[in-house]
């Protein structure tokens, strides 16, 4: 039985902190070389104890199998501007030598019946503890800003209805998801124009404000990730 949850979750928090720094560093490299970054911003969290216990009951996960069977205790989200950026990010992650990809689930192409879209990657990441190396499972979700907005709203409603949405609300959510993806498709059609305009903006007089606001957004979202 886990008696000290803080100690149990400490390696997961270390993994999240390290991965946020590394992923944000990748974005910074693109920005410094005046290239479009497929990474818009990165957030991360360790699942709260109450949420872990609830999921253990719901998924029939025993404590002695918790580290192996619950893949999202450590979770990160990578937000992208365009759908094409999602797959660029996935390729970047596949090339990294510090993580091992165990599983990929493409809900962007294979959209869920609810309308949910995102790309999920389960990784194994080694953290260095004073007791030695420990490999941590973590889930990385890669999605556009529009997909994230819809998923955040749907997640909040799910708490109210416990997944049993009224038919009319479920239908509206599906239509909203389709509208959000239509927006993504429209933005992809003009992404070259958008990227050119953003490049002029980012490296012009307003660059300091733009970069600072991006950091603020990451900090505000770190503790609100589901």
């Amino acid at each position: 039985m886990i008696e000290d949850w803080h100690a149990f979750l400490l390696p997961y928090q270390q993994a999240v902190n390290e991965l946020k720094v590394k992923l944000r560093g990748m974005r910074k490299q693109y920005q410094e070389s005046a290239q479009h970054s497929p990474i818009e911003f990165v957030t991360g969290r360790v699942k709260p104890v109450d949420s872990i216990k609830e999921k253990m009951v719901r998924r029939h996960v025993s404590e002695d199998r918790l580290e192996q069977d619950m893949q999202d205790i450590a979770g990160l989200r990578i937000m992208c501007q365009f759908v094409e950026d999602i797959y660029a990010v996935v390729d970047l992650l596949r090339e990294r030598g510090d993580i091992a990809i165990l599983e990929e689930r493409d809900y962007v192409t294979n959209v869920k019946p609810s309308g949910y879209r995102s790309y999920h990657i389960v990784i194994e990441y080694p953290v260095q503890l004073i007791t030695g190396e420990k490999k941590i499972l973590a889930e990385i979700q890669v999605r556009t800003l529009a997909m994230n907005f819809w998923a955040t709203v749907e997640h909040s409603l799910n708490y109210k209805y416990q997944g049993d949405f009224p038919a009319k609300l479920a239908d509206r959510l599906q239509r909203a998801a389709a509208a959000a993806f239509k927006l993504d498709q429209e933005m992809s059609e003009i992404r070259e124009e958008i990227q050119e305009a953003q490049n002029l903006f980012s490296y012009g007089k307003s660059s300091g404000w733009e970069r600072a606001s991006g950091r603020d957004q990451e900090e505000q979202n770190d503790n609100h990730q589901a």
Side-chain angles (χ1 to χ4, degrees):
M1 186 155 180
I2 299 174
E3 297 179 355
D4 188 345
W5 279 97
H6 176 75
F8 175 80
L9 294 176
L10 195 60
Y12 290 93
Q13 188 62 62
Q14 182 173 328
V16 168
N17 291 343
E18 291 180 9
L19 287 165
K20 284 193 297 185
V21 169
K22 291 179 177 182
L23 294 169
R24 291 170 182 175
M26 292 168 65
R27 180 192 61 193
K28 187 68 173 177
Q29 291 176 51
Y30 278 100
Q31 293 173 337
E32 292 297 326
S33 59
Q35 298 182 63
H36 168 72
S37 172
I39 299 173
E40 180 69 8
F41 64 90
V42 181
T43 63
R45 63 92 184 102
V46 173
K47 188 182 286 292
V49 174
D50 287 346
S51 295
I52 294 174
K53 291 180 177 179
E54 184 275 330
K55 189 170 183 178
M56 288 172 66
V57 173
R58 178 163 43 88
R59 297 288 181 87
H60 306 288
V61 177
S62 61
E63 277 196 3
D64 61 323
R65 291 287 306 172
L66 186 57
E67 292 181 317
Q68 295 80 22
D69 292 349
M70 195 171 295
Q71 302 171 331
D72 65 342
I73 295 176
L76 293 105
R77 285 197 190 133
I78 301 176
M79 253 58 76
C80 306
Q81 286 190 322
F82 307 105
V83 174
E84 293 81 3
D85 290 340
I86 294 174
Y87 295 99
V89 169
V90 172
D91 286 340
L92 287 171
L93 295 176
R94 288 171 180 159
E95 293 171 1
R96 292 192 67 91
D98 56 345
I99 64 174
I101 294 179
L102 304 182
E103 185 178 341
E104 298 183 32
R105 297 189 291 272
D106 184 354
Y107 299 124
V108 178
T109 302
N110 306 300
V111 58
K112 287 189 174 184
S114 64
Y116 176 86
R117 292 179 191 266
S118 186
Y119 200 106
H120 292 198
I121 303 172
V122 178
I123 67 167
E124 187 178 68
Y125 178 78
V127 295
Q128 303 302 320
L129 308 174
I130 58 174
T131 54
E133 182 178 277
K134 182 177 180 65
K135 292 182 178 179
I136 297 295
L137 294 185
E139 182 182 71
I140 301 176
Q141 298 177 356
V142 192
R143 55 177 68 153
T144 65
L145 298 168
M147 292 174 192
N148 188 62
F149 172 68
W150 184 92
T152 301
V153 171
E154 192 269 350
H155 183 76
S156 298
L157 288 170
N158 193 54
Y159 269 103
K160 178 179 180 179
Y161 293 101
Q162 295 298 305
D164 187 18
F165 294 121
K168 186 175 292 187
L169 179 59
D171 180 63
R172 283 191 158 186
L173 282 171
Q174 288 177 330
R175 285 189 280 123
F181 192 63
K182 178 64 174 176
L183 173 62
D184 277 333
Q185 291 176 315
E186 292 292 337
M187 291 299 102
S188 290
E189 290 292 325
I190 57 172
R191 70 180 183 276
E192 290 185 5
E193 290 282 349
I194 295 172
Q195 289 170 7
E196 182 180 353
Q198 289 175 339
N199 188 58
L200 290 171
F201 177 78
S202 296
Y203 293 94
K205 293 181 180 179
S206 300
S207 60
W209 178 88
E210 189 273 337
R211 290 169 184 169
S213 65
R215 289 194 299 271
D216 291 344
Q217 190 172 23
E218 286 177 335
E219 291 170 1
Q220 292 169 7
N221 281 282
D222 274 345
N223 295 322
H224 297 280
Q225 182 175 346

